[in-house]
C-alpha cells in the first residue's frame, strides 16, 4: 500500500447516514487491523456542531459502535485533499460533492454502495423523515458497504 487511506463518508445532514457509515466502517477496519483514518461530513451545514440524530445514536449504541461523541460538520474544500476516498451515501450527495470539488482535489470520489457487488448505483435511503425501522435499513446498508470496503483495503 502506498498511502495511508483516509476515508470520508458524506450524506446531507451528517446526523443520520454518514455517522452510521463512519461507525460501521471504523468497526470493520478495527476488526481487520487496518491503519486508516475515518470521518464523516454533510453537504449541508444545517446541523453543524450537533450530535447525531437520537435514533442513529440509539441504534449505534445497540450495535456496539456508539456515535454520541460525534459532531456534525459540512464538507470543506480541504477534505478533497486530506482524504484519499470520499464516499457519498446517495446520488444527490455525490452530485453535490462533485460540484464543490476544488480544482486541486485528489480524493477518489464515489457512491458508497458501488463497492458492494450487485448493489452498484444504489442509494443508502435517507431515514430522517421515517421511523426507527428505516434506521435499521440504513445500518444494514452501511454495514454491508463497510465490510466490502474494509476487505478491499485489507487486500491492497
Ligand atoms: P442524513 O439525514 O443526511 O442522513 O444526515 C438527514 C438529516 C437531516 C435532514 C435531512 C436528512 N434535514 O432535513 O434536516
Amino acid at each position: 500500500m502506498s498511502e495511508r487511506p483516509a476515508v470520508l463518508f458524506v450524506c446531507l445532514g451528517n446526523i443520520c447516514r454518514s455517522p452510521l457509515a463512519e461507525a460501521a466502517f471504523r468497526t470493520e477496519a478495527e476488526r481487520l487491523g487496518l491503519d486508516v483514518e475515518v470521518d464523516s461530513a454533510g453537504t449541508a451545514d444545517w446541523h453543524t456542531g450537533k450530535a447525531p440524530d437520537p435514533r442513529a445514536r440509539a441504534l449505534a449504541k445497540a450495535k456496539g459502535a456508539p456515535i454520541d461523541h460525534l459532531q456534525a460538520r459540512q464538507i470543506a474544500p480541504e477534505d478533497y485533499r486530506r482524504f484519499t476516498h470520499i464516499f457519498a451515501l446517495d446520488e444527490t450527495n455525490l452530485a453535490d460533492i462533485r460540484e464543490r470539488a476544488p480544482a486541486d482535489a485528489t480524493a477518489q470520489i464515489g457512491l458508497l454502495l458501488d463497492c458492494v457487488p450487485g448493489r452498484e448505483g444504489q442509494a443508502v435511503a435517507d431515514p430522517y423523515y421515517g421511523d426507527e425501522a428505516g434506521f435499521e435499513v440504513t445500518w444494514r446498508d452501511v454495514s454491508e458497504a463497510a465490510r466490502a470496503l474494509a476487505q478491499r483495503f485489507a487486500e491492497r
Side-chain angles (χ1 to χ4, degrees):
M1 190 184 327
S2 49
E3 190 180 10
R4 180 183 186 232
V7 180
L8 181 68
F9 298 98
V10 179
C11 62
L12 177 59
N14 191 209
I15 56 169
C16 298
R17 292 166 293 172
S18 61
L20 289 173
E22 176 182 348
F25 182 64
R26 198 183 298 282
T27 301
E28 274 309 300
E30 279 171 10
R31 197 175 65 80
L32 296 181
L34 298 179
D35 180 23
V36 55
E37 183 182 343
V38 191
D39 197 5
S40 65
T43 57
D45 67 355
W46 307 325
H47 302 281
T48 296
K50 302 263 178 62
D53 185 285
R55 296 163 295 178
R57 286 163 59 182
L59 183 61
K61 193 170 284 173
K63 303 296 181 186
I67 55 173
D68 303 296
H69 60 290
L70 298 182
Q71 290 191 334
R73 71 175 184 90
Q74 188 176 29
I75 189 170
E78 54 269 25
D79 288 325
Y80 292 84
R81 287 194 62 83
R82 182 175 144 219
F83 291 91
T84 57
H85 297 75
I86 299 177
F87 289 106
L89 277 283
D90 68 29
E91 60 289 334
T92 303
N93 307 145
L94 182 62
D96 289 341
I97 294 163
R98 289 204 166 122
E99 197 176 292
R100 288 163 201 209
D104 64 352
T106 51
Q108 283 183 40
I109 299 168
L111 188 67
L112 182 61
L113 284 177
D114 276 356
C115 68
V116 179
R119 300 205 61 187
E120 296 89 349
Q122 293 183 19
V124 175
D126 187 348
Y128 184 68
Y129 294 104
D131 58 15
E132 272 80 2
F135 281 79
E136 285 286 352
V137 174
T138 303
W139 181 258
R140 192 195 63 204
D141 286 351
V142 298
S143 297
E144 195 176 4
R147 279 192 297 274
L149 201 57
Q151 194 57 45
R152 207 165 86 188
F153 282 120
E155 287 165 4
R156 290 211 313 181

